């Protein structure tokens, strides 16, 4: 079915394993009865139909809509199928072999629900009427529908109408018989019709009056059963039989019918429901606890539970772990007393206010004071060697033979007191009686009190390992040995508050106390204490003991009933275990209060078939120790429609979730209705959770802010008996990541950022080149202007001065004029060098190395100086400002060497490395003293002493600082001078590299 996933293998096991039905030997009142009403979440409205889908859900058709039930939660179908109208009046429904749900409505036709879609069939599609009361799938795959205007058959995708006519022929219900014929019940006539393959034949209900109509019909191997307003009719061939209130039918107006797997027929009426089995009728109605009188639906689920729908709720009936016997089952009183099974197999039950009852397996027969019983308050039972039953009362002791009272003994017969509290037959066959005032033994129809017996209230009698009689009181335990009485002590102390005693087959004596736990006397007479809560005992107030065939010691106590393995108790008493584990019988499946009865003996008895009978404050409780666990298959697990970001989605639609749908809520269910509130779950989201999460009985799982990726949500379940469905159910899905969450996003983003940076860099380089070209163009223009104006003017002035100097003859004026001519020539050379510098980067040989080479040659071409050039042409270009400063530093260094050092050789080196540029100018001249070099220049005749007023070295240093370079001078007198500049390409802010 849409909206759910389930493990088909487990469901198949579920279907095969649950071939059970209710135990037919139990009366209706002995079944566990649960009720769900509005307080438990059931929607208001009468329940008209109940069925179960293949995944295990229970579906309820009500006056206010279709409801799905998982044992805990009621879910309106509109939440699962949003297109389904609300408040539909659902009269009937079923699930077909394809998993589609079909529902019949009172006024909207028929709806088909499949894979989240809703399809409606109405009069427009060929239905005789939109008022539909029944849907009947038949073996050939067709479906019949009962309407207010006749029958309709769905076959091969077509709808064909039959029996259309007046309202008296309206069918209310139909069924398919084992022979394949369709039977239909009519609303207003005492007759049914049967389809012969061509037409409908009428079968009158001969015993019904003309005003009787039919409400339901059921086809089975035992015949055709018709629910009418005048009783239940069975049609078997040509025979008809009627069941009415005279036959113990709950009511003559029958509303619904169903058959369980054990062959019982269940009939819902206007006054409860009845079960017909083996010709006997038994009924259950509001006095017994039914939620309401009118039963419109009865259904048996796969686990054998019977479900009953009324106007006021949903009722469930199932086998419990125990079988109760109360006044509802015929027990004369719920104030139960001692229990005993005699050697003939008869079970005797004493009551505290209604006499003695004998159970024959079906019914209780009662003996009271009217039948010769001394009192209706029975306190003790025992059987003697000849099969006689001894009955202790508060007014003496009775002896019964063959179910009749034959003797009445009291104080006059030697009893210490008329109130007999305990009876015991010893290994010699003697009958002992414990009374309010001590004990006595029966000898020759009279009771004899042993010497030394204390006048104390006796709570129980038994024999020890050596067959010595022990009787217990609240003031101590006493042993009768060799005709005398001795107190039994534990470490020199009296055994106080002992209220019960039991001898097991090995001769061990178990004593229960009032609040002090259990005392164990071993074969040697040693007594050990097993305290209550401290040592693991379920309760410290023990009213009685018995041992089952599995060697489990059962104890009746004030908190109910529990058992402990006898071997575990013995190990504890021997000091081999520090704590015991009690196993209480919990009545959660029966919703009953369990408290064992005190003050009666025996309070518990093991009968021949192994069942344990307990006397409680509310009648009798019978436990089958061989069936303490329901032999059920693991509960099927279903994952319901998940919520994705608060929106309900079908599981097959979340296989790939869009980005951002990261908040999920999963609801799941364990579809076993035996003890649904004790089904426990665990779940895990593979891909997110590291371990299984123990959810207990919680049926929801929440995940928020899930990361992108593939996931699988898995759920497993265990029932109350710890039978687990380890395969569980699973749903697989994936969460698509946002663009930025994809694996490739950040590498691609980094690549894009790098590309953007590279493009920005290229754009900047382009702009720098454009600026550089503009600078070069401007420099070329300035060079041209200088050449055409300043240089030409200087040249003319120089030539004029030279002509003038040639006319002067050795005068002082001529020498002065020659000096002027020389200065002018120097200025002209400097100007030409500047022009060369401005044009140095423009030609094909442009670059720093070429500019330095040209400038050095111009400076030294008229001097007797040899020039050595080791200039690398780097693959990198510098910013024009940087190249200009380097060129000026180089020319200044060469000029100083030419002017001042009287050098014969000048060497210029330019080297490029990966992260630096080094410029070196060295000569072999006189050198100078480095002290104070930053403040003075040198004159040729200074003898190495700087002369004030010349600032060439300072200018070189300032230019180096402007471009972030390090300038170093190395010189000593007579050893030449070296000027070294180091420019780090990453240090200077003005440095820009251009490939």
């Amino acid at each position: 079915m849409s909206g759910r996933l389930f493990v088909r293998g487990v469901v198949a096991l579920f279907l095969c394993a649950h071939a059970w039905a209710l135990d037919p030997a139990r009366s209706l009142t002995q079944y566990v009865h649960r009720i769900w009403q509005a307080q438990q979440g059931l929607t208001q409205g009468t329940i008209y139909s109940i069925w179960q889908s293949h995944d295990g859900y229970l579906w309820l058709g009500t006056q206010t809509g279709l409801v799905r039930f998982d044992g805990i939660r009621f879910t309106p179908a509109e939440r699962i199928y949003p297109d389904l109208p609300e408040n539909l009046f659902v009269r009937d429904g079923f699930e077909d072999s394809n998993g589609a749900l079909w529902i019949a409505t009172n006024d909207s036709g028929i709806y088909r629900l499949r894979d989240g879609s809703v399809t409606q069939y109405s009069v427009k599609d060929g239905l005789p009427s939109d008022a539909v009361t029944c849907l009947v799938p038949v073996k050939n795959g067709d479906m019949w529908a009962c309407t207010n205007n006749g029958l309709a058959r769905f076959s091969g995708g077509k709808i064909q109408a039959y029996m259309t006519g007046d309202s008296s022929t309206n069918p209310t219900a139909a069924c398919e018989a084992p022979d394949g014929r369709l039977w239909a019940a009519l609303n207003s006539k005492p007759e049914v019709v049967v389809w012969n393959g061509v037409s409908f034949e009428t079968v009158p209900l001969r015993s019904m009056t003309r005003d009787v109509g039919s409400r339901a019909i059921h086809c089975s191997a035992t015949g055709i059963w018709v629910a009418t307003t005048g009783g239940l009719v069975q049609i078997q061939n040509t025979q008809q039989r009627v069941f009415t209130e005279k036959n113990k039918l709950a009511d003559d107006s029958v509303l619904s019918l169903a058959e369980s797997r054990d062959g019982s027929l269940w009939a819902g009426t206007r006054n409860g429901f009845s079960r017909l089995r083996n010709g006997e009728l038994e009924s259950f109605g509001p006095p017994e606890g039914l939620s309401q009188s009118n039963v419109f639906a009865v259904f048996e689920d796969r686990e054998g539970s019977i479900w009953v729908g009324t106007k006021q709720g949903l009722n469930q009936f199932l086998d419990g772990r125990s079988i109760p016997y109360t006044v509802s089952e015929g027990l004369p009183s719920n104030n139960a007393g001692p229990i005993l099974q005699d050697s003939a197999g008869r079970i005797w039950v004493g009551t505290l206010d209604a006499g003695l009852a004998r159970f024959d397996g079906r019914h209780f027969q009662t003996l009271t004071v009217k039948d010769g019983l001394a009192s209706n308050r029975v306190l003790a039972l025992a059987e003697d060697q000849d099969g006689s039953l001894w009955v202790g009362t508060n007014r003496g002791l009775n002896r019964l033979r063959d179910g009749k009272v034959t003797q009445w003994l009291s104080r006059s017969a030697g009893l210490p007191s008329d109130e007999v509290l305990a009876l015991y037959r010893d290994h010699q066959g003697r009958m002992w009686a414990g009374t309010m005032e001590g004990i006595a033994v029966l000898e020759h129809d009279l009771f004899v009190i042993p010497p030394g017996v204390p006048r104390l209230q006796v709570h129980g009698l038994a024999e020890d390992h050596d067959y010595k009689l022990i009787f217990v009181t609240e003031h101590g335990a006493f042993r009768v040995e060799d005709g005398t009485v001795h107190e039994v002590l534990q470490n020199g102390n009296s055994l106080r508050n002992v209220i019960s005693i039991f001898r097991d087959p090995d001769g061990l004596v178990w004593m229960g106390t009032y609040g002090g736990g259990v005392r164990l006397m071993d074969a040697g007479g040693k007594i050990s204490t097993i305290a209550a809560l401290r040592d693991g005992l379920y309760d410290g107030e023990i009213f009685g003991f018995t041992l089952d065939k599995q060697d489990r010691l059962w104890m009746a106590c004030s908190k109910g009933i529990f058992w402990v393995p006898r071997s575990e108790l013995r190990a504890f008493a021997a000091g081999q275990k520090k704590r015991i584990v009690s196993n209480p019988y919990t009545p959660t499946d029966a919703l009953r209060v369990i408290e064992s009865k005190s003050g009666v003996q025996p309070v518990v008895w093991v009968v021949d078939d192994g069942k344990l009978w307990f006397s409680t404050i509310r009648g009798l409780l019978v436990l089958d120790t061989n069936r303490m666990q329901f032999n059920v298959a693991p509960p099927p697990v279903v994952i319901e429609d998940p919520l994705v970001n608060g929106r309900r989605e079908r599981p097959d639609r979340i296989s790939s979730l869009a980005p951002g749908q990261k908040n999920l809520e999963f609801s799941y269910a364990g579809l076993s209705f035996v003890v649904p509130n004790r089904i426990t779950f665990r779940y895990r989201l593979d891909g997110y959770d590291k371990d299984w999460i123990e959810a207990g009985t919680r049926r929801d799982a929440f995940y928020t802010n899930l990361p992108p990726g593939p996931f699988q949500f898995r759920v497993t379940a265990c029932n109350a008996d710890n039978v687990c469905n380890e395969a569980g159910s699973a749903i697989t899905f994936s969460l698509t990541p946002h663009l930025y969450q994809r694996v490739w996003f950040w590498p691609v983003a980094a690549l894009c950022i790098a590309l953007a940076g590279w493009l920005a860099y290229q754009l900047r380089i382009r702009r720098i080149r454009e600026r550089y070209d503009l600078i070069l163009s401007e420099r070329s223009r300035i060079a041209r202007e200088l050449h055409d104006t300043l240089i030409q003017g200087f040249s003319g002035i120089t030539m004029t001065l030279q002509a003038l100097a040639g006319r002067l003859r050795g005068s002082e004026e001529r020498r002065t004029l020659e000096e002027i001519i020389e200065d002018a020539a120097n200025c002209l050379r400097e100007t030409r060098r500047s022009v060369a510098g401005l044009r140095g980067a423009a030609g094909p040989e442009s670059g720093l190395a070429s500019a330095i080479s040209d400038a050095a040659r111009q400076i030294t071409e008229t001097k007797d100086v040899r020039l050595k050039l080791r200039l690398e042409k780097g693959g990198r270009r510098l910013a024009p400002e940087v190249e200009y400063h380097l060129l000026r530093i180089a020319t200044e260094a060469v000029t100083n060497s030419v002017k001042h050092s009287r050098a014969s050789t000048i060497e210029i080196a330019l080297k490029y490395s990966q992260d630096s540029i080094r410029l070196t100018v060295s000569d072999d001249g006189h050198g100078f003293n480095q002290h104070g070099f930053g403040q003075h220049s040198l004159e040729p005749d200074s003898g190495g002493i700087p002369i004030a007023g010349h600032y060439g070295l300072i200018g070189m240093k300032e230019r180096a600082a402007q471009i972030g370079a390090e300038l170093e001078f190395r010189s000593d007198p007579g050893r030449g001078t070296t000027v070294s500049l180091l420019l780090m390409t990453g240090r200077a802010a003005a440095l820009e590299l251009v490939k």
Side-chain angles (χ1 to χ4, degrees):
M1 175 168 292
S2 65
R4 293 177 292 278
L5 295 178
F6 55 93
V7 181
R8 293 187 180 273
V10 174
V11 172
L13 177 63
F14 178 77
L15 296 176
C16 294
H18 296 327
W20 311 316
L22 296 182
D23 182 0
R26 299 190 186 189
S27 66
L28 295 179
T29 55
Q30 290 180 315
Y31 296 128
V32 176
H33 178 207
R34 302 186 185 126
I35 299 177
W36 287 268
Q37 294 177 308
Q39 297 90 328
Q40 289 77 39
L42 179 63
T43 56
Q44 295 286 349
T46 302
I47 299 173
Y48 280 93
S49 60
I50 306 172
W51 72 93
Q52 192 170 23
S53 52
H54 68 283
D55 51 13
Y57 282 109
L58 213 61
W59 294 86
L60 313 176
T62 76
Q63 275 183 311
T64 56
L66 181 64
V67 178
R68 187 184 70 185
F69 184 47
D70 64 5
I72 299 294
R73 297 178 293 203
F74 294 91
T75 305
E78 305 91 78
R79 295 186 186 176
I80 308 165
Y81 299 93
D83 295 333
L84 187 68
E86 295 182 353
N87 294 319
L88 288 175
F89 189 153
V90 180
R91 297 295 299 269
D92 197 9
F94 75 98
E95 183 188 40
D96 66 18
S97 58
N98 296 319
L101 289 180
W102 293 80
I103 59 174
T105 68
N106 200 56
D107 52 11
S108 302
I110 298 172
Y111 287 88
R112 180 179 182 269
L113 314 179
R114 169 76 172 171
D115 295 333
S117 64
V118 177
T119 305
Q120 183 183 12
Y121 300 91
S122 64
V123 173
K124 298 178 182 179
D125 304 293
L127 279 178
S129 169
D130 285 338
V132 185
T133 57
C134 82
L135 296 175
V136 183
V138 293
K139 297 175 183 176
N140 64 1
D142 293 350
M143 181 185 74
W144 290 83
C146 307
T147 77
N148 279 1
N149 200 25
L151 284 164
R153 181 170 67 176
F154 286 67
S155 181
K158 297 180 180 180
I159 301 175
Q160 185 174 359
Y162 296 87
M163 288 181 57
T164 56
D166 59 53
S167 60
S168 64
T169 60
N170 291 345
T172 55
C175 65
E176 184 183 26
D179 60 6
R181 294 190 297 170
L182 184 77
W183 291 73
L186 302 182
N187 180 40
S188 303
K189 284 187 177 182
E191 60 186 35
V192 295
V193 293
V194 58
W195 175 252
N196 60 17
V198 178
S199 62
F200 284 94
E201 298 176 354
T202 301
V203 178
L205 303 178
R206 296 188 297 267
S207 58
M208 295 290 108
T209 60
R210 294 182 61 183
D211 60 343
V212 169
S214 301
R215 297 293 178 265
I217 190 168
H218 176 73
C219 301
S220 74
T222 59
I224 308 301
W225 297 86
V226 186
T228 76
T229 57
L232 176 63
V233 179
Q234 179 187 23
I235 303 174
Q236 204 167 22
N237 297 324
T238 60
Q239 302 295 319
Q240 294 187 15
R241 183 181 179 186
V242 180
F243 296 86
T244 65
E245 293 180 34
K246 296 178 180 180
N247 307 102
K248 297 185 178 180
L249 188 66
D251 191 87
D252 286 346
S253 183
V254 185
L255 302 174
S256 57
L257 295 171
E259 186 176 8
S260 55
R261 282 185 288 271
D262 64 357
S264 298
L265 185 74
W266 301 78
T269 76
R270 291 197 178 277
N271 189 33
F273 67 93
S274 299
R275 177 180 64 179
L276 177 61
R277 179 173 173 79
N278 298 328
E280 293 186 5
L281 278 165
E282 183 183 5
S283 298
F284 191 100
E288 289 74 36
L290 195 65
S291 62
Q292 199 267 339
S293 300
N294 295 277
V295 176
F296 289 94
V298 182
F299 175 75
E300 182 187 35
D301 69 15
R302 299 187 188 116
E303 294 174 296
S305 294
I306 295 295
W307 297 85
V308 176
T310 72
K311 283 186 176 181
Q312 292 293 333
L314 178 67
N315 300 258
Q316 181 191 17
F317 295 86
L318 69 155
D319 284 333
R321 301 172 191 266
S322 61
I323 304 174
Y325 287 97
T326 64
V327 292
S328 299
E329 290 75 39
L331 191 67
S333 171
N334 286 340
N335 199 5
I339 307 169
L340 177 144
Q341 184 184 34
D342 63 22
S343 55
R346 294 169 297 193
I347 297 175
W348 297 86
V349 180
T351 70
L352 299 184
D353 55 10
L356 178 67
R358 183 179 64 190
F359 185 62
D360 61 6
R362 293 285 295 176
H363 305 96
F364 288 94
Q365 296 177 349
T366 306
L367 292 174
T368 66
V369 292
K370 295 179 181 180
D371 302 295
L373 209 60
S375 171
N376 286 337
R377 183 177 180 83
V378 179
L379 302 172
L381 294 174
E383 185 184 23
D384 64 15
Q385 287 181 317
D386 63 2
S388 297
L389 182 69
W390 290 88
V391 181
T393 74
N394 62 332
R395 293 182 178 179
L397 183 64
N398 288 119
R399 185 175 187 175
L400 277 68
R401 181 179 294 274
D402 298 328
K404 296 181 180 181
V405 177
T406 61
Q407 194 173 5
W408 181 352
L409 301 176
S410 60
R411 282 181 181 269
S412 60
L415 284 173
S417 168
D418 284 339
E419 189 165 356
V420 180
L421 303 176
L423 294 168
Y424 183 76
R425 189 184 71 193
D426 66 17
H427 69 288
Q428 297 177 343
R430 296 181 299 175
M431 183 63 63
W432 293 81
T435 72
M436 284 291 293
E437 299 182 23
I439 64 169
V441 60
L442 183 64
E443 295 181 359
H444 308 296
D445 291 334
L446 294 175
F447 279 94
V448 178
I449 301 174
V453 171
R455 309 286 287 185
L456 298 174
Q457 179 179 341
V458 178
H459 292 291
L461 303 113
E463 289 178 299
D464 65 10
H465 183 270
D466 298 327
Y467 296 102
K468 308 297 184 182
L469 185 76
I470 296 178
F471 61 96
V472 295
T473 72
E474 292 186 10
H475 300 284
F478 301 89
R479 179 187 288 114
V480 180
E481 188 174 2
D482 297 330
T484 58
V485 176
H486 307 279
E487 185 175 4
V488 178
L489 302 176
Q490 180 182 10
N491 300 324
N493 299 315
S494 298
L495 295 173
R496 299 289 183 180
N497 298 320
V498 180
I499 56 176
S500 62
I501 186 169
F502 169 73
R503 182 186 191 273
D504 69 22
D506 295 328
L508 301 179
V509 178
W510 303 85
M511 290 176 276
T513 68
Y514 186 80
V518 175
R519 304 291 186 269
L520 171 60
M521 178 186 293
D522 62 17
K526 180 182 177 182
I527 299 175
S528 303
T529 299
I530 304 172
L533 298 177
R534 184 185 65 193
D535 298 327
L537 212 60
Y538 179 62
D539 189 19
E541 194 172 346
I542 309 300
F543 303 146
F545 302 86
T546 195
L547 197 67
D548 67 15
K549 296 178 180 179
Q550 289 79 34
D551 200 39
R552 296 178 293 198
L553 188 68
W554 288 82
M555 288 166 259
C557 64
S558 61
K559 291 170 60 177
I561 301 165
F562 71 101
W563 62 268
V564 181
R566 188 173 63 136
S567 59
E568 188 171 321
L569 290 167
R570 297 181 66 176
F572 179 87
Q576 298 170 359
K577 286 182 69 71
K578 293 184 178 180
R579 188 174 177 83
I580 61 173
V581 177
S582 298
N583 300 273
Y585 165 74
T586 55
T588 54
D589 60 337
L591 302 179
R592 297 175 184 266
V593 176
I594 303 298
E595 181 179 342
S596 297
K597 196 72 174 181
S598 63
V600 298
Q601 292 295 333
V603 69
V604 56
W605 193 273
V606 181
V607 299
D608 294 339
D609 60 4
K611 293 185 176 68
L612 306 180
W613 288 63
F614 288 88
S615 178
T616 75
I617 61 172
R618 292 186 58 192
L620 304 177
L621 195 66
V622 180
L623 302 182
D624 187 348
T625 58
N626 298 316
R627 295 185 58 189
M628 288 308 296
Q629 289 187 332
F630 288 112
N631 185 21
V632 298
V637 183
V638 176
I639 299 176
E640 299 174 351
D641 295 348
L643 290 177
V644 181
N645 282 0
R647 182 177 178 180
R648 190 174 300 278
E649 298 285 354
R650 287 174 51 202
D652 57 352
R653 292 183 179 177
I654 70 165
S655 57
S656 180
L657 293 175
Q661 294 184 319
K662 56 186 179 178
N663 301 316
L664 280 81
E665 176 183 344
F666 296 97
S667 296
Y668 44 84
L671 297 178
S672 172
F673 297 94
V674 178
V675 195
N677 60 336
R678 293 178 60 190
I679 295 176
T680 57
F681 302 89
R682 64 174 187 162
Y683 63 83
R684 175 177 177 174
L685 184 61
D686 292 337
Y688 186 79
D689 292 327
K690 294 182 179 179
D691 299 307
W692 286 91
I693 296 173
E694 301 294 338
T697 58
R698 180 165 53 87
R699 299 189 172 209
D700 300 285
F702 305 90
Y703 290 93
T704 57
N705 298 319
L706 285 178
F711 301 97
Q712 185 180 53
F713 180 73
R714 293 190 288 156
V715 186
T716 66
C718 299
N719 62 20
D721 292 320
N722 205 33
V723 179
C724 299
N725 178 356
E726 295 294 348
S729 183
I731 177 173
T732 301
F733 65 95
S734 63
L735 178 57
T736 305
H738 286 284
L739 188 64
Y740 65 84
Q741 292 176 314
R742 296 184 181 273
V743 176
W744 50 264
F745 176 80
W746 291 110
V748 170
L751 182 61
C752 291
I753 292 172
L755 180 61
W758 181 80
L759 292 174
Y761 174 74
Q762 291 298 321
L763 180 62
R764 177 168 176 77
I765 293 302
R766 181 178 178 180
R767 291 178 178 175
I768 291 174
R769 284 177 177 173
E770 290 174 352
R771 180 183 174 192
Y772 185 61
D773 291 341
L774 182 62
I775 292 173
L776 290 178
S777 176
E778 182 66 14
R779 289 172 62 173
S780 297
R781 186 189 67 78
I782 294 172
R784 286 193 304 270
E785 294 293 331
L786 289 175
H787 182 272
D788 294 341
T789 57
L790 182 62
I791 293 178
Q792 292 297 332
F794 262 110
S795 297
I797 293 171
T798 302
M799 287 188 291
T800 301
L801 290 175
Q802 287 176 345
L804 178 61
R807 290 196 292 270
L808 295 176
R809 301 285 188 228
S811 62
E812 184 67 28
E813 289 80 2
R814 179 175 179 169
R815 288 195 297 271
T816 302
L817 187 58
E818 288 177 346
E819 290 178 359
I820 294 171
I821 292 171
E822 183 177 359
D823 289 340
N826 289 335
C827 289
L828 184 60
R829 284 194 298 272
E830 289 294 326
T831 302
R832 284 173 176 167
R833 283 200 298 271
S834 297
V835 172
L838 290 171
R839 290 178 170 174
E845 296 296 330
S846 63
L848 180 61
S850 298
I852 293 175
S853 176
D854 293 344
R857 285 191 175 96
Q858 290 181 14
I859 296 172
T860 60
E861 62 183 357
T862 60
K863 303 297 180 180
D864 187 17
V865 176
R866 187 174 64 167
L867 185 64
K868 292 184 179 180
L869 300 175
R870 291 189 293 127
L871 305 174
E872 293 182 359
K873 295 182 179 181
R876 294 174 292 185
R877 295 271 304 275
L878 303 176
E881 294 85 351
V882 176
E883 288 189 351
Y884 179 76
H885 284 298
L886 291 175
L887 175 62
R888 298 306 298 166
I889 291 171
T891 55
E892 183 67 28
V894 174
T895 299
N896 284 341
S897 295
V898 170
K899 283 186 176 182
H900 307 298
S901 68
R902 298 186 179 91
S904 59
T905 302
I906 298 176
E907 181 177 346
I908 305 174
L910 180 64
K911 295 183 179 181
Y912 292 89
S913 65
Q914 185 176 1
D915 57 357
S916 65
I917 300 172
R918 181 174 291 276
L919 174 65
T920 305
V921 179
S922 60
D923 61 48
D924 57 357
H926 293 298
F928 65 91
N929 187 349
Q930 295 186 63
H931 180 69
F933 72 88
Q935 304 170 9
H936 306 278
S937 268
L938 300 176
E939 292 295 339
D941 298 325
S942 63
I945 304 300
I947 302 299
H950 294 269
Y951 299 96
L953 297 181
I954 295 175
M956 293 167 64
K957 191 171 182 181
E958 289 177 349
R959 290 182 184 276
Q962 288 181 10
I963 62 175
E966 297 179 4
L967 188 65
E968 180 183 4
F969 299 92
R970 295 193 300 274
S971 181
D972 287 308
R975 295 186 180 182
T977 301
T978 299
V979 178
S980 178
L981 180 143
L982 177 63
L983 175 63
M984 304 301 294
T985 57
R987 182 187 303 172
L991 182 62
E992 297 185 30
L993 300 180
V994 183
K995 290 188 179 180

